[in-house]
Amino acid sequence: VLCRHQVTRTVLAALATLGLLAAAIAVAVLPAQPAAAQSANYQQVVDLTFPVHDPNRLTSYSDDYYGSRARGDHGATDIGGPNAYGVRVHAAVAGTVTSIQGLDGPPPGWGYAIRIRGVDGRDYNYLHLGRQNGPPSEAYASGIQRGSTVQRGQHIGYIGHSGNASASWPHLHLEIIDSSVTDRQGTNRINPFYSLRAAESRGDLPGTVRALPGGSDDVAPERPGGFSDVAPGHPHAAGIVAISKGKITEGCRPANYCPERTVDRGQMATFLSRALGLAAANVSSVPDVANDHPHAPGIGAVTLAGIASGKGDGRFDPAAPVRRDQMATFLAKALDLDPKPAPFADVTADNVHAGAIGAVAAEGIALGTGGNAYDPAAPVSRAQMATFLARAFDLA
Ligand SMILES: [Zn+2]
């Protein structure tokens, strides 16, 4: 069983000397033990199933119950990660959905959220599902509505960043309300951390240790990379799985890769920046990309690294499709390959991408399309892109 939740608290210490030296040191420390004097039982271990499990995408959590928020303690545990958008959320305990928000109007300030009255008498709140103003289908599993009875471990929704959550760290905010408990703030909550840690350590993860009731889509056969729109026999399945495992893609929407969709220049920038492990950079020098563009960090990174130079006038044109000849140049620059003559009848020496096409062909990254042709002007699909990236960066 792959289990990548990390129970660490990370402390970042930044040192700066004369503005020239900055060092960040990450120190993992053990979570603090519950303080005995606070409340009799608000840090008790509740019998629950860990609500998130995706072997392909890293999620983490820590004892952040006391994290400072506008109205006092955080009062919850956040489970998430930079690539966690769309990871499935499962019911921690069986119960009945008593509230599901944002179906009849805009979601409230904390976003798309489900409350379940557990069979144990406690209320479980699952917050920040989907994305603000996004469709409810990205927040809630199909069929989940007020009054629904859910089994323990049943798929109920998707990790997101709706409401007052950070888009750069999509997460599930899990609260446990128990009227018989009083925490140090005087609210009737249980700190979920100890129950989550106990569930994880005994392997009580959804879909792994517990046979789910019939009708749940969690028992569907494995799909490559967990993407429901990639058939096991898809010609680019291996590449798609490889770049998913390499955290280069998180799909186009929850549980989907959209293999036939064309890659645009913005997506390409994100793919390459992740494959190369480039740090996000700002886009202040790129006039047609706003800071909040979804691909701004990747575009800034590849522009700074000189991999994508834009359009001469500085524009990046993020929505333009990537052609096969342009892709060769992106990859040749990313890998720092020397130009080589292109061995294809349809790539003439006056094509500015000819040297790059020759280079990626010589490396076995982009093969021709058959019949001594490269088809330089054809757009690159997301499926093809996966294979190119997997070959270029030796991912498997
Ligand atoms: Zn939270």
Side-chain angles (χ1 to χ4, degrees):
V1 174
L2 280 170
C3 185
R4 303 191 189 175
H5 309 293
Q6 296 177 328
V7 188
T8 60
R9 179 182 287 175
T10 301
V11 178
L12 291 172
L15 301 172
T17 303
L18 298 173
L20 297 173
L21 171 69
I25 303 166
V27 182
V29 297
L30 289 173
Q33 287 303 306
Q38 305 287 343
S39 155
N41 53 0
Y42 82 104
Q43 308 220 86
Q44 65 188 277
V45 171
V46 172
D47 180 26
L48 52 73
T49 288
F50 202 93
V52 168
H53 175 64
D54 185 338
N56 292 314
R57 281 189 270 188
L58 186 71
T59 55
S60 63
Y61 66 106
S62 62
D63 188 7
D64 57 352
Y65 192 81
Y66 310 105
S68 177
R69 298 295 188 275
R71 281 179 302 233
D73 283 353
H74 178 222
T77 299
D78 288 344
I79 308 168
N83 298 326
Y85 188 84
V87 167
R88 289 177 171 204
V89 173
H90 304 257
V93 300
T96 303
V97 176
T98 53
S99 167
I100 178 166
Q101 296 181 298
L103 292 179
D104 306 320
W110 52 88
Y112 286 113
I114 297 175
R115 172 178 284 213
I116 292 174
R117 166 53 65 97
V119 292
D120 58 4
R122 302 182 179 101
D123 287 310
Y124 293 80
N125 288 331
Y126 304 81
L127 270 56
H128 307 317
L129 309 174
R131 55 190 163 88
Q132 197 75 357
N133 304 318
S137 60
E138 289 189 19
Y140 303 128
S142 65
I144 297 295
Q145 55 193 329
R146 202 155 79 89
S148 293
T149 301
V150 299
Q151 303 299 314
R152 179 166 168 162
Q154 183 174 334
H155 174 210
I156 56 171
Y158 301 95
I159 286 182
H161 49 72
S162 62
N164 53 342
S166 163
S168 63
W169 205 78
H171 66 273
L172 168 68
H173 169 108
L174 178 69
E175 297 176 357
I176 305 175
I177 318 292
D178 184 329
S179 59
S180 69
V181 164
T182 304
D183 72 2
R184 72 172 192 180
Q185 288 258 113
T187 66
N188 302 125
R189 300 183 190 207
I190 292 174
N191 179 354
F193 175 77
Y194 300 96
S195 308
L196 291 167
R197 192 172 62 173
E200 184 180 32
S201 63
R202 67 175 182 270
D204 195 344
L205 308 170
T208 55
V209 294
R210 192 169 294 273
L212 291 165
S216 166
D217 51 3
D218 288 303
V219 295
E222 278 292 305
R223 285 289 191 149
F227 296 119
S228 60
D229 60 350
V230 180
H234 192 287
H236 294 284
I240 293 167
V241 170
I243 69 165
S244 172
K245 278 164 67 179
K247 316 260 181 261
I248 292 167
T249 184
E250 48 212 78
C252 58
R253 55 177 179 262
N256 281 254
Y257 182 73
C258 298
E260 310 317 320
R261 198 180 281 178
T262 300
V263 177
D264 66 38
R265 290 170 52 86
Q267 292 168 346
M268 181 81 189
T270 294
F271 283 145
L272 288 176
S273 66
R274 288 181 184 153
L276 291 165
L278 301 176
N282 73 60
V283 287
S284 55
S285 65
V286 187
D288 61 342
V289 180
N291 285 322
D292 60 353
H293 188 285
H295 294 289
I299 292 169
V302 299
T303 304
L304 185 67
I307 293 165
S309 43
K311 296 277 180 178
D313 58 358
R315 290 183 313 116
F316 190 81
D317 207 4
V322 175
R323 297 166 24 146
R324 287 172 55 84
D325 55 3
Q326 295 167 338
M327 185 211 60
T329 294
F330 278 132
L331 290 176
K333 283 191 180 160
L335 297 171
D336 205 13
L337 301 177
D338 291 329
K340 291 209 165 61
F344 302 107
D346 58 354
V347 180
T348 50
D350 62 345
N351 183 326
V352 295
H353 302 287
I357 291 169
V360 296
E363 293 288 323
I365 295 165
L367 314 175
T369 53
N372 199 27
Y374 182 79
D375 208 3
V380 179
S381 73
R382 288 171 54 86
Q384 294 165 343
M385 189 73 244
T387 295
F388 293 142
L389 289 169
R391 289 177 184 151
F393 295 96
D394 285 328
L395 304 170

